[in-house]
């Protein structure tokens, strides 16, 4: 490489390096003008609610809560909680019935009932 081509390459490198330094300086200056960004959900002081999916305006909603971990053996107890919610006033009693899988038994609660 000749001396003149080495000077050309070094001047390009200096130009690129200078551009990087100026760009970084401008970037840090503009970052100081804006507040720090973070996850919006961490800034909220309210409890997060799972968004309702499906027919959320339906007059009757059924929700089933399962535990975080399921039992490893068939003889272990599994606690499942079911909720039936009415979003409108009912004109009469609403009957419901839970159906358990074969071999499962109910320990506490009702498999059938009615909401008045």
């Amino acid at each position: 490489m000749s001396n003149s081509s080495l000077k050309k390459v070094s001047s390009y490198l200096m130009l690129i390096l200078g551009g990087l330094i100026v760009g970084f300086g401008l970037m840090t200056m503009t970052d100081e003008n804006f507040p720090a960004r973070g996850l919006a959900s961490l800034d909220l002081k309210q409890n997060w609610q799972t968004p309702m999916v499906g027919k959320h305006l339906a007059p009757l909603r059924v929700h089933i809560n399962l535990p975080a971990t399921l039992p490893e053996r068939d003889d272990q107890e599994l606690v499942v909680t079911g909720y039936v919610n009415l979003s409108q006033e009912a004109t009469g009693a609403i009957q419901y019935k839970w159906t358990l899988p074969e071999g499962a038994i109910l320990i506490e609660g009702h498999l059938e009932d009615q909401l008045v």
Side-chain angles (χ1 to χ4, degrees):
M1 210 181 242
S2 68
N3 197 17
S4 65
S5 62
L6 191 58
K7 283 184 179 182
K8 259 188 194 176
V9 170
S10 66
S11 65
Y12 285 128
L13 287 175
M14 292 301 286
L15 184 63
I16 291 171
L17 182 62
L20 287 173
I21 291 172
V22 169
F24 183 74
L26 288 173
M27 184 179 67
T28 55
M29 285 174 40
T30 55
D31 280 349
E32 291 172 359
N33 296 334
F34 295 103
R37 297 192 55 152
L39 296 174
S41 60
L42 295 178
D43 293 336
L44 292 176
K45 301 298 180 210
Q46 303 170 0
N47 291 335
W48 176 255
Q49 294 180 353
T50 306
M52 289 195 284
V53 200
K55 296 182 178 182
H56 60 279
L57 297 177
L60 179 73
R61 289 185 312 209
V62 177
H63 181 77
I64 299 175
N65 283 345
L66 293 173
T69 57
L70 297 176
E72 295 177 7
R73 299 187 324 262
D74 288 342
D75 62 341
Q76 291 178 316
E77 186 176 300
L78 171 66
V79 178
V80 177
T81 308
Y83 298 96
V84 178
N85 295 334
L86 290 173
S87 61
Q88 298 176 3
E89 227 179 280
T91 56
I94 297 186
Q95 297 178 353
Y96 66 89
K97 178 179 180 179
W98 299 105
T99 305
L100 298 178
E102 187 177 327
I105 59 170
L106 179 68
I107 296 175
E108 183 181 337
H110 305 284
L111 283 178
E112 294 182 52
D113 204 353
Q114 64 180 2
L115 303 173
V116 182

